[in-house]
Amino acid sequence: MYHSRLIVKPGSTIALKDYDPRYTGDYKNKDEAKGKLEGDVQQLAQYQDVLYAQNSYAVLIVFQAMDAAGKDSTIKHVMSGVNPQGCQVYSFKAPSAEELDHDYLWRSAKVVPERGRIGIFNRSHYEEVLVVRVHPELLDRQQLPASARKGDIWKERFEQINNFEKYLSANGIVILKFFLNVSRDEQKKRFLERIDEPEKNWKFSASDAAERAYWKDYMRAYEAVFNATSTEWAPWYIIPADRKWFTRLAVADIICERLKQLHLQYPVPLEAHKKDLLKAREVLESEKD
Ligand code: ATP
Ligand code: MG
């Protein structure tokens, strides 16, 4: 099974160069993968139905990636079967003035999914140890007291994030984290498409190209994240992202697998509720219309 190749085993030290962005498991092409993805999308919809009815667990799915890795389209395809009422997507942009006035986990904590829901973070609190690490001037804007900046702030933040996620997990929020691993070459190809195809122009901003210049810094920052924050309670998966069809398949498959482990069940009605149901049936059947 390819899952074990994609998960960052808690406690291990990985190097991103060992993860091939073009890897596609045993699948050779999109057509071969189609049936599997469709099956998983349907399965996911079924699990979500029970998750919602049971109203006990919540699922938090984090997506992180470089630009043009396919976060948006993966979310769109993988979630295409689920009931929109039970699913919430949050996109984290550069923090607002109000957000900067709070501790950095505040805006994530505010939108952790409710019980019964699947919450998707399109970018997340991890930006605080990625873009902020690559661009230290962003940290200066956070108005932290000197005491919060002494020592190794990234190490501290990793620990804080692990503790935050441990707390959520211990309270029934199941966490999965996906890094869509696109290669630098493939990103260039996708950027060029965005520039050349008028319908894709809106997806491209000049700052995307500027960030590309920091590629190495980002990869270093990502590696540090995986090695410090892939935990038993909130593991990271490094998903090959040069073939979009495999990205979707792998993400859907891993989510289904995790939901299966929860042994979700529709709630069993209480005796009193059963009586109410029987009474309601009698009333309905005795209606004369
Ligand atoms: P797309 O480009 O596909 O529409 P996106 O997720 O790249 O989606 P953008 O609006 O282009 O969305 O970018 C959001 C930007 O906000 C990213 O550059 C990201 O690094 C930045 N950002 C997110 N969280 C933080 C944060 N905590 N601090 C600073 N910058 C952040
Ligand atoms: Mg962008």
Side-chain angles (χ1 to χ4, degrees):
M1 197 50 169
Y2 59 82
H3 291 194
S4 58
R5 281 181 71 148
L6 307 185
I7 193 169
V8 177
K9 291 202 184 63
S12 69
T13 303
I14 62 103
L16 259 178
K17 65 168 174 42
D18 297 333
Y19 289 77
D20 179 5
R22 288 184 309 270
Y23 176 75
T24 56
D26 293 332
Y27 299 90
K28 286 191 194 65
N29 56 48
K30 192 176 180 168
D31 289 337
E32 266 186 22
K34 198 165 171 261
K36 170 72 176 147
L37 177 62
E38 280 170 5
D40 279 346
V41 166
Q42 273 176 23
Q43 179 74 67
L44 186 56
Q46 279 164 20
Y47 283 136
Q48 186 216 14
D49 202 55
V50 197
L51 183 85
Y52 192 85
Q54 194 178 14
N55 202 37
S56 184
Y57 288 108
V59 179
L60 172 59
I61 306 174
V62 169
F63 284 96
Q64 283 292 154
M66 297 299 282
D67 276 306
K71 281 185 283 105
D72 290 3
S73 73
T74 302
I75 293 168
K76 185 167 104 183
H77 281 85
V78 172
M79 293 295 147
S80 59
V82 307
N83 176 356
Q85 282 217 75
C87 183
Q88 308 153 340
V89 184
Y90 292 97
S91 296
F92 290 89
K93 309 286 181 189
S96 66
E98 186 194 19
E99 287 167 348
L100 279 174
D101 262 346
H102 289 267
D103 60 278
Y104 72 92
L105 287 175
W106 179 75
R107 67 177 184 161
S108 293
K110 269 203 315 185
V111 293
V112 166
E114 299 151 63
R115 299 195 189 285
R117 311 297 209 281
I118 299 177
I120 293 177
F121 283 7
N122 182 351
R123 301 187 187 271
S124 65
H125 43 291
Y126 283 96
E127 291 290 327
E128 290 289 337
V129 285
L130 292 164
V131 68
V132 178
R133 188 170 190 174
V134 171
H135 298 285
E137 65 275 15
L138 295 175
L139 191 61
D140 296 336
R141 291 175 50 204
Q142 298 192 354
Q143 307 178 74
L144 294 165
S147 61
R149 290 192 61 165
K150 67 176 188 333
D152 183 345
I153 187 161
W154 311 116
K155 200 164 160 256
E156 296 287 333
R157 283 193 170 188
F158 290 153
E159 200 179 318
Q160 290 155 4
I161 289 172
N162 284 343
N163 289 338
F164 170 61
E165 292 176 351
K166 189 171 195 180
Y167 158 79
L168 294 178
S169 153
N171 282 279
I173 293 120
V174 176
I175 306 173
L176 292 171
K177 302 182 295 203
F178 295 108
F179 170 62
L180 307 192
N181 186 26
V182 75
S183 68
R184 196 159 185 267
D185 285 348
E186 180 65 21
Q187 189 197 51
K188 181 175 181 174
K189 210 175 112 208
R190 292 183 190 172
F191 276 173
L192 289 172
E193 279 167 17
R194 290 177 177 191
I195 293 166
D196 293 341
E197 296 176 27
E199 321 80 68
K200 290 190 179 172
N201 283 173
W202 64 274
K203 287 192 189 177
F204 188 80
S205 78
S207 62
D208 292 350
E211 278 320 275
R212 186 176 155 80
Y214 295 91
W215 189 276
K216 277 211 177 109
D217 297 337
Y218 272 107
M219 292 307 114
R220 250 197 306 270
Y222 267 112
E223 250 173 30
V225 162
F226 303 141
N227 288 327
T229 66
S230 194
T231 53
E232 298 290 349
W233 57 89
W236 273 108
Y237 290 86
I238 300 179
I239 307 291
D242 277 12
R243 307 278 179 269
K244 283 193 168 187
W245 55 267
F246 185 73
T247 310
R248 293 164 193 164
L249 177 142
V251 168
D253 195 12
I254 291 166
I255 299 173
C256 279
E257 191 67 32
R258 184 69 186 91
L259 290 180
K260 187 174 162 197
Q261 291 166 0
L262 296 179
H263 303 293
L264 297 167
Q265 276 175 347
Y266 286 104
V268 182
L270 297 171
E271 280 310 312
H273 186 46
K274 271 193 206 155
K275 275 191 195 137
D276 287 347
L277 293 174
L278 289 175
K279 208 182 265 168
R281 160 183 275 274
E282 271 172 33
V283 174
L284 286 167
E285 283 177 344
S286 64
E287 268 180 12
K288 296 191 188 67
D289 41 16

